[in-house]
Amino acid sequence: MEPMDTGPGQTSPRNQGNFFSGAQHMGFAGSTITNVAGDANYNYITNFPENKPNEITEDDLLLRRPQVPDVFTGRSHLVKEAVNILCGTKQIHIAILGAGGIGKTSVALHIMEDPLIKEKFGERCYFIPCEMLPDAKILIQGLVLTIGLQVTQGKDSLKLLLDYLRGGQQFLLVLDNFETPWGSKGQTEVKNLIEMSCRCNAVSVIVTMRGTEGPGQIKWHKLGGGSGLPALELGPAKEAFCSFCSDGDLTIEEDPILENLLIQMDGMPLAIMLMAQLAREWPLKNIMERWNHQKTAVLKKFGLGEQENRLTSIEVSIKLTLNIVREKLSPTGEDVLRLIALLPSGIPDWLENLPKMLPDATMHLDDTTTQALILKKACLIYETGDKTLKILTPIGEYIMKSFQERDNVENQVWVFYESFIDNLPQNPSEEDSQLGLHIGNIYKILEIQIKRSFERSHINVLQQLYNYSEYFSGLVPLIAKYLRWKSHLNLSDQAEVMFMQEYMFSFMGEYGKAIDIIHDVEELYKDQINQETSDVEVVTRNNTIEQIQAECYRRLGESFYHQGRYTQSKQKVQQAQDLYEKIGDMRGVSRSLQSLGNICRMLDEYEDGKIMLERAKEQFEGVGDKLGAAQCLQSLGNICRVLSQYEDAKVMLEQAKEQFEGVGDRLRAAQSLQSLGNICGMLSQYQDAKVLVEEAKEQFERVGSRLGAAQCLKSLGDICILLDQYEDAKVMLEEAKEQFEGVGDRLGAAQSLQSLGDIFSMLSQYEDAKVMFEQAKEQFEGVGDRLGAA
């Protein structure tokens, strides 16, 4: 990691009119630039042609050259790549491109300081700070002074320079922040100058500049790829952060907030450096709070007398880039930029989807694609390998903070995603990856729409996403926000939405929250019971109330079941069954029978369980409920497995798995696969068991079932014990225990502790084994599992 490249010098400040409400007029005369590594301050020489000095001195150029940064992580491979091609090729030209603050200058400085470069070029390696050389004539003057050529009176500086570069000795010219002269009105002259220089056979050139294209008709080797220098990965970012604040609190590396903070910096070296310097003064908790409130305004130096410039303020750096593209961008381009900043997942398959997201621009013949390319070339946005347009988080936060909200843009994107969701397959499949690419955007735009107003269309979208269990964690808070409009919903609709919320919590293993929601539903109906209405309304109302109450009983029973509270579970499910029978809801009766059969299985009442499950299966088949019938078949297979009737169990579970796959129920298909793996383990077919259980674990993780994944870890740990792979078993069982505790499954945690105790016993670590067994015994007793405790 490194201090960031210096940015472009500006032409004369111009009034920006209506362009970018956040990109304000900026002047830099008299400002100070700070080198990140050495904290060496030097005066800024204004770039504006009408104010430029008549003559630049050699001291001016020397004072502008930054020192090689001491903190430099995650970039060594790029330096090595550049050094290898510079030393292994007679002549090569390298472009170090990218966004402002991404570290271009630092990479160039480290290349220059490499011993192999010094050996090849000796003293003929020149650094030219182009931010103070805003046109071709001054650029020539800067080159002549840097190289040390003496211009005699009446002698042409350009001819002198070219004659010297053609002299046969090898030269390396590093043209830093070349976007300044390149963006001048005299671009043609600048283009001719750099092309003439690059054609000198002994000259190799490195340019650093904002954007994704090197200047002129030159074959540039783009270091870091076509999109420029990549952002730092999390590891190097953390290393850099800690190095920058090493004179502060050395315990900061272990602070749990640090990783989250660095993720927000999105690998931008300048942002990381500025955050690290704040960490010398403030606790990370305070920095995170300030970031959440102030965003990019906090990313600057706050020292006494510190002047804001491109190396001390992330906002100044971003504004400089905005100024480069301001004349090329239409209002549509502004919309494109704000849209990409708004959407967390960016714009997947952007060439196809961007025009659909902004159809108004297409109607007015504005080319969204061309505007996106302009933004891309300026490195305000970037394209990932899967054709997604994205924006670095600090840049995106600045755009969102500075640009005015455009309701029409958000409404157009909402229409796009409504249509997108309407066209999703009814039965989700593992091959359906499109939703995953867009899900972050859907959460964001749906949250905006729900906050704005109550619409029935919002719950329609939520209900469609409800089919995709892997996205429940993001849907739960959206359901909660939707329920703030409950005054617009009748009681039946409120209950339906709350039951969706309850099911998602149960699925994620958060049974305590699920139970709280069920009690909230029951409270909704309490004040309805004694209201005076007509006889017809009483019958209808009571029927609805009893239907909802039965559903509450059944759902409570299922939550108690998963918590290992089988006696309470049985009581609630029996209450549900009685109510279902009273109101004639035969499907509810079947589901209650199914639940009672599963409870009997857990209470070792296998024959009663089989009878109930077979009855439920017949009833489901009678009403054409394939999913309910498959669930009963799965439970019957598990009873046969417990009774060591392995062949019957395998047949039932394989049939159930096929039926689940047929109706798109990936969760229960994974459960059947898990049970089949457990059967192989009981038959001592351990390798087959591992394969099946690992596959089941992957499927549980895909659908977002933490409980299923934890159960598979427990099974894999037990298999490793049988294979005498004790260390692997310990790792898996400890992780399984943590996951069981995380989802509130005390029985699973107790069983994991028991298996860990077995491992310590086998390793003759008896004291550790005693601790594990005692903890397991307490937990078995806590959930009423007398057999486990015994």
Side-chain angles (χ1 to χ4, degrees):
M1 188 229 110
E2 59 272 355
M4 310 342 113
D5 48 292
T6 51
Q10 293 305 105
T11 56
S12 59
R14 284 176 266 181
N15 189 326
Q16 297 186 59
N18 294 325
F19 181 82
F20 294 144
S21 61
Q24 301 167 359
H25 169 92
M26 291 170 293
F28 292 89
S31 64
T32 300
I33 289 183
T34 302
N35 176 271
V36 171
D39 283 339
N41 295 332
Y42 40 84
N43 291 328
Y44 185 89
I45 297 175
T46 178
N47 293 336
F48 307 133
E50 63 266 37
N51 296 328
K52 69 177 182 281
N54 292 326
E55 186 175 343
I56 293 175
T57 68
E58 188 174 350
D59 283 348
D60 294 331
L61 293 165
L62 286 173
L63 286 171
R64 189 57 55 81
R65 174 173 173 167
Q67 301 303 300
V68 181
D70 295 326
V71 179
F72 188 76
T73 64
R75 302 290 201 217
S76 298
H77 65 292
L78 295 173
V79 173
K80 184 177 180 182
E81 176 189 336
V83 169
N84 287 342
I85 60 174
L86 282 167
C87 295
T89 310
K90 186 174 181 181
Q91 185 186 36
I92 189 84
H93 305 304
I94 295 175
I96 305 177
L97 307 168
I102 205 68
K104 302 182 290 295
T105 300
S106 294
V107 172
L109 290 169
H110 272 271
I111 293 169
M112 290 179 68
E113 289 299 307
D114 189 274
L116 293 176
I117 295 296
K118 289 181 175 292
E119 182 181 339
K120 177 174 180 177
F121 295 102
E123 297 299 317
R124 299 174 306 282
C125 190
Y126 304 107
F127 181 93
I128 299 92
C130 298
E131 75 273 10
M132 62 184 296
L133 308 171
D135 60 33
K137 287 185 179 180
I138 301 178
L139 182 56
I140 293 169
Q141 184 184 346
L143 284 163
V144 168
L145 284 171
T146 302
I147 293 171
L149 300 178
Q150 298 297 319
V151 182
T152 58
Q153 190 171 6
K155 187 79 173 178
D156 183 85
S157 298
L158 177 58
K159 187 175 186 305
L160 177 68
L161 173 66
L162 293 176
D163 286 346
Y164 183 75
L165 294 179
R166 292 166 182 156
Q169 290 183 306
Q170 291 188 314
F171 299 93
L172 177 63
L173 301 179
V174 178
L175 304 174
D176 189 46
N177 292 318
F178 196 75
E179 67 272 9
T180 299
W182 186 248
S184 70
K185 291 181 179 178
Q187 188 181 87
T188 300
E189 290 80 2
V190 175
K191 174 178 178 292
N192 291 338
L193 174 60
I194 192 169
E195 287 179 354
M196 284 188 285
S197 301
C198 288
R199 285 197 180 98
C200 298
N201 293 332
V203 175
S204 292
V205 175
I206 296 176
V207 295
T208 78
M209 61 188 293
R210 298 183 184 214
T212 60
E213 298 295 333
Q217 299 299 314
I218 298 164
K219 186 177 180 181
W220 296 104
H221 176 88
K222 295 182 180 181
L223 203 62
S227 296
L229 292 188
L232 291 179
E233 294 182 357
L234 188 58
K238 186 173 185 180
E239 182 182 346
F241 186 98
C242 295
S243 297
F244 276 125
C245 57
S246 60
D247 59 344
D249 184 0
L250 294 177
T251 64
I252 199 168
E253 187 172 358
E254 304 305 321
D255 195 307
I257 299 174
L258 177 57
E259 184 168 319
N260 189 19
L261 191 61
L262 290 175
I263 289 171
Q264 294 294 307
M265 298 306 99
D266 212 2
M268 280 190 78
L270 175 59
I272 293 165
M273 181 272 291
L274 293 171
M275 275 291 185
Q277 294 194 349
L278 291 177
R280 295 179 180 179
E281 309 295 334
W282 299 337
L284 288 181
K285 179 182 177 183
N286 294 80
I287 296 176
M288 179 61 82
E289 288 172 356
R290 286 174 178 260
W291 165 260
N292 290 334
H293 179 65
Q294 301 176 12
K295 297 302 181 183
T296 50
V298 78
L299 293 177
K300 62 182 177 182
K301 291 188 176 181
F302 290 93
L304 186 64
E306 193 80 59
Q307 297 185 29
E308 289 190 16
N309 56 64
R310 62 177 71 97
L311 290 182
T312 62
S313 168
I314 199 78
E315 292 194 348
V316 171
S317 180
I318 296 168
K319 288 175 186 176
L320 287 171
T321 305
L322 286 170
N323 281 344
I324 293 173
V325 298
R326 64 185 178 186
E327 293 178 348
K328 296 181 180 179
L329 229 55
S330 70
T332 293
E334 297 179 37
D335 287 345
V336 170
L337 183 57
R338 193 181 189 286
L339 177 61
I340 297 170
L342 172 72
L343 299 177
S345 303
I347 303 179
D349 195 9
W350 70 274
L351 284 169
E352 179 181 347
N353 288 326
L354 179 57
K356 295 177 182 177
M357 288 183 176
L358 296 175
D360 287 357
T362 306
M363 287 173 60
H364 293 97
L365 303 180
D366 282 336
D367 188 351
T368 53
T369 302
T370 300
Q371 293 295 302
L373 288 174
I374 292 170
L375 293 165
K376 217 177 107 182
K377 286 182 181 295
C379 283
L380 285 166
I381 61 176
Y382 65 97
E383 183 178 353
T384 64
D386 61 358
K387 305 299 181 186
T388 297
L389 278 186
K390 301 196 82 173
I391 192 167
L392 291 173
T393 300
I395 298 176
E397 292 293 353
Y398 175 75
I399 298 300
M400 291 299 295
K401 185 182 79 167
S402 303
F403 285 24
Q404 294 178 351
E405 287 190 25
R406 300 282 291 272
D407 289 354
N408 67 313
V409 171
E410 292 167 359
N411 290 336
Q412 288 178 73
V413 178
W414 170 243
V415 170
F416 169 84
Y417 276 118
E418 274 193 297
S419 174
F420 175 85
I421 292 168
D422 279 340
N423 290 304
L424 289 173
Q426 290 297 313
N427 293 324
S429 66
E430 292 179 26
E431 291 72 28
D432 177 41
S433 59
Q434 281 302 303
L435 180 57
L437 297 176
H438 291 268
I439 192 65
N441 297 344
I442 293 170
Y443 291 153
K444 180 76 172 186
I445 203 71
L446 184 53
E447 180 182 14
I448 290 170
Q449 296 297 317
I450 289 173
K451 184 178 179 181
R452 226 174 244 170
S453 65
F454 172 80
E455 302 290 344
R456 287 279 174 183
S457 58
H458 300 159
I459 194 60
N460 293 337
V461 169
L462 289 168
Q463 286 171 331
Q464 286 172 288
L465 294 173
Y466 184 61
N467 292 320
Y468 298 83
S469 55
E470 58 266 50
Y471 305 124
F472 280 179
S473 59
L475 288 181
V476 164
L478 291 174
I479 292 275
K481 287 180 171 66
Y482 184 78
L483 283 169
R484 292 174 187 170
W485 297 97
K486 60 185 178 183
S487 61
H488 293 71
L489 296 168
N490 62 41
L491 290 180
S492 181
D493 287 342
Q494 281 189 58
E496 182 182 355
V497 175
M498 292 171 76
F499 280 147
M500 286 173 58
Q501 194 178 26
E502 179 272 334
Y503 176 78
M504 288 190 277
F505 277 129
S506 292
F507 181 89
M508 293 186 293
E510 298 184 37
Y511 301 114
K513 292 179 181 178
I515 290 168
D516 288 341
I517 290 172
I518 296 168
H519 290 322
D520 289 342
V521 174
E522 289 178 320
E523 287 295 322
L524 277 178
Y525 285 84
K526 274 188 178 179
D527 62 351
Q528 295 291 305
I529 296 173
N530 298 319
Q531 288 182 6
E532 293 183 6
T533 52
S534 69
D535 291 342
V536 174
E537 288 175 329
V538 166
V539 172
T540 304
R541 186 198 65 205
N542 287 346
N543 198 50
T544 302
I545 291 173
E546 289 176 336
Q547 179 78 38
I548 295 294
Q549 184 62 70
E551 189 70 10
C552 288
Y553 286 147
R554 187 184 64 79
R555 289 171 181 263
L556 281 171
E558 289 186 0
S559 289
F560 291 150
Y561 171 86
H562 289 296
Q563 289 182 324
R565 297 156 64 180
Y566 301 121
T567 303
Q568 291 169 280
S569 174
K570 190 172 184 180
Q571 178 188 7
K572 287 297 177 185
V573 175
Q574 189 63 63
Q575 287 179 288
Q577 184 183 15
D578 292 343
L579 262 182
Y580 282 131
E581 287 176 343
K582 178 182 175 183
I583 61 178
D585 183 345
M586 297 315 297
R587 189 171 186 278
V589 172
S590 301
R591 295 178 75 179
S592 301
L593 274 171
Q594 177 191 356
S595 295
L596 288 168
N598 287 327
I599 294 167
C600 287
R601 176 168 65 90
M602 299 308 296
L603 293 173
D604 302 333
E605 299 168 359
Y606 300 119
E607 290 306 316
D608 290 344
K610 283 176 72 173
I611 291 169
M612 291 179 183
L613 287 165
E614 284 167 354
R615 277 178 56 198
K617 178 172 173 289
E618 287 176 11
Q619 291 182 18
F620 282 129
E621 289 171 342
V623 296
D625 187 338
K626 293 181 181 179
L627 177 59
Q631 290 171 351
C632 293
L633 191 60
Q634 180 188 51
S635 296
L636 287 165
N638 283 323
I639 288 178
C640 289
R641 175 173 60 87
V642 173
L643 294 174
S644 303
Q645 300 167 1
Y646 298 127
E647 290 306 316
D648 290 342
K650 282 175 69 175
V651 170
M652 290 179 182
L653 289 166
E654 284 167 354
Q655 286 179 4
K657 176 175 171 290
E658 288 177 10
Q659 291 180 28
F660 288 134
E661 290 169 344
V663 297
D665 191 330
R666 293 181 290 166
L667 171 66
R668 291 186 175 85
Q671 290 171 342
S672 300
L673 196 61
Q674 176 189 9
S675 295
L676 287 166
N678 290 336
I679 289 172
C680 287
M682 293 169 181
L683 294 172
S684 302
Q685 299 167 357
Y686 301 128
Q687 293 304 327
D688 291 342
K690 277 184 75 173
V691 170
L692 291 171
V693 176
E694 283 170 352
E695 187 180 344
K697 176 176 172 287
E698 289 175 7
Q699 292 191 24
F700 281 127
E701 289 169 343
R702 285 195 198 104
V703 300
S705 174
R706 293 187 293 164
L707 177 61
Q711 290 169 341
C712 288
L713 272 172
K714 165 71 171 58
S715 297
L716 288 168
D718 289 338
I719 291 169
C720 286
I721 291 175
L722 294 168
L723 293 172
D724 299 331
Q725 299 167 353
Y726 298 125
E727 290 306 315
D728 290 343
K730 277 173 67 177
V731 171
M732 290 176 182
L733 289 164
E734 284 167 354
E735 187 177 346
K737 173 182 168 288
E738 288 178 10
Q739 292 193 23
F740 281 128
E741 290 171 343
V743 299
D745 188 332
R746 294 185 295 166
L747 177 61
Q751 291 170 339
S752 300
L753 280 167
Q754 182 181 6
S755 294
L756 284 166
D758 290 336
I759 292 174
F760 286 121
S761 293
M762 293 169 186
L763 295 174
S764 302
Q765 298 171 3
Y766 300 121
E767 290 304 317
D768 291 335
K770 277 179 70 176
V771 171
M772 294 292 172
F773 286 135
E774 284 167 353
Q775 289 180 8
K777 174 177 171 289
E778 286 177 12
Q779 293 201 24
F780 279 127
E781 290 171 343
V783 298
D785 188 335
R786 293 182 298 164
L787 179 60

